[in-house]
Amino acid sequence: MRSSRLAALTSVGAGALVFCAGAWAQSGAGIGGGTAETAQAMRVVIGLTVLALLPALLVCVTAFLRIIIVLSMLRHAIGMQETPPNTALIGLALFLTLFTMAPVLEKVDHAAFEPFMDGKITMQQAYKEGSAPLRDFMVRQTREEDLALMVELSKAKTPRTIDDISNVQLVPAFMLSELRAAFQIGFVVFLPFLLIDLIVATVLMALGMMMMPPSTVSLPLKVLMFVLVDGWALLMKALVGSFH
């Protein structure tokens, strides 16, 4: 499981690299000419920076946030607090994130990561070319209301086009939209399990078995129902298909 998580994180790393590199470039940390910027020392430092920021970037700019929240809500809906374990859910969420982000990561890799590592483009150019596919993905998932809220909270000027919105405003708006979408999916996931809980509780009350916890009976029924309808496959398809 650890090796699968590392493989997925490595794939997402190409997208994370251009965000880290862009932040460095915009803060004036570059060292001048094209050849110097792609020196071995620079690549090592950027690589270490990517590794340090990768978990945060994975949550902030990819599909991981929505997926892991829905999987966690599914576990609570069934009623098992520690099954599947967190490691299993995170590993599954990483693979689903990789499948969802694969087209975006390929664009980032071809447009920015490979040319930058080969010394063909500067850090600023890599940031511009590499951030475009990520921005396009985030914009497609983000509601206009959330973008307007972040612009208002940041007290920035009203943007005329989407290009006028900075990453500082786009990323939190994207995360807010992801939280909303995850809760909407989670609500739908909860409904059938809630119905089973209500039915079991009603039957136990009617039989006069008020001392028996309803979860004792409803838990195996919920697990059986989830297995019979092939719930994992349905949920995976719904999650991946929920991204625009």
Side-chain angles (χ1 to χ4, degrees), residues 145-163:
E145 294 84 352
D146 296 329
L147 281 173
L149 175 62
M150 292 306 161
V151 171
E152 179 183 354
L153 293 178
S154 63
K155 299 181 180 179
K157 296 182 180 179
T158 303
R160 297 182 178 179
T161 65
I162 194 64
D163 295 331

Side-chain angles (χ1 to χ4, degrees), residues 1 4 17-18 46-47 64 69 83 91-92 116 143 150-151 158 169 179 190 209 218 230-231 235 239:
M1 181 61 68
S4 64
L17 173 62
V18 296
I46 293 177
F64 182 83
I69 289 178
T83 304
L92 185 59
F116 174 73
R143 300 189 313 148
M150 292 306 161
V151 171
T158 303
Q169 299 161 349
L179 289 173
F190 256 97
M209 303 173 65
S218 64
D230 199 8
L235 185 61
L239 276 174

Side-chain angles (χ1 to χ4, degrees), residues 13-235:
L17 173 62
V18 296
F19 264 74
C20 295
W24 194 343
Q26 289 186 335
S27 63
I31 57 174
T35 303
E37 286 182 341
T38 55
Q40 183 67 26
M42 175 67 77
R43 292 199 292 267
V44 170
V45 173
I46 293 177
L48 294 175
T49 304
V50 169
L51 291 176
L53 297 179
L54 187 56
L57 291 172
L58 180 67
V59 173
C60 294
V61 301
T62 70
F64 182 83
L65 180 61
R66 182 190 305 188
I67 294 172
I68 193 62
I69 289 178
V70 172
L71 293 179
S72 298
M73 293 182 73
L74 169 65
R75 182 172 63 181
H76 288 289
I78 295 176
M80 297 183 293
Q81 302 301 319
E82 298 181 359
T83 304
N86 290 331
T87 305
L89 293 183
I90 292 174
L92 185 59
L94 285 173
F95 275 109
L96 292 179
T97 301
L98 181 61
F99 298 153
T100 303
M101 301 293 298
V104 178
L105 295 177
E106 288 180 0
K107 292 179 182 179
V108 172
D109 185 52
H110 294 316
F113 185 73
E114 290 182 358
F116 174 73
M117 296 304 293
D118 293 338
K120 297 179 180 179
I121 59 176
T122 64
M123 188 181 297
Q124 290 85 349
Q125 291 172 329
Y127 173 70
K128 181 179 179 180
E129 296 295 331
S131 62
L134 283 173
R135 282 179 58 90
D136 182 61
F137 171 80
M138 289 190 288
V139 167
R140 292 199 306 268
Q141 319 305 322
T142 306
R143 300 189 313 148
E144 293 183 6
E145 294 84 352
D146 296 329
L147 281 173
L149 175 62
M150 292 306 161
V151 171
E152 179 183 354
L153 293 178
S154 63
K155 299 181 180 179
K157 296 182 180 179
T158 303
R160 297 182 178 179
T161 65
I162 194 64
D163 295 331
D164 296 333
I165 298 178
S166 66
N167 290 333
V168 176
Q169 299 161 349
L170 177 59
V171 171
F174 167 75
M175 295 180 66
L176 193 60
S177 297
E178 288 295 281
L179 289 173
R180 177 187 174 89
F183 275 47
Q184 289 175 334
I185 299 174
F187 173 76
V188 176
V189 170
F190 256 97
L191 286 180
F193 298 109
L194 177 61
L195 180 61
I196 293 177
D197 285 331
L198 291 175
I199 293 175
V200 170
T202 302
V203 171
L204 291 178
M205 291 268 305
L207 295 175
M209 303 173 65
M210 292 178 292
M211 299 302 294
M212 175 178 288
S215 59
T216 304
V217 179
S218 64
L219 179 57
L221 292 178
K222 289 189 284 187
V223 173
L224 177 62
M225 182 205 71
F226 191 70
V227 172
L228 289 178
V229 301
D230 199 8
W232 285 112
L234 292 176
L235 185 61

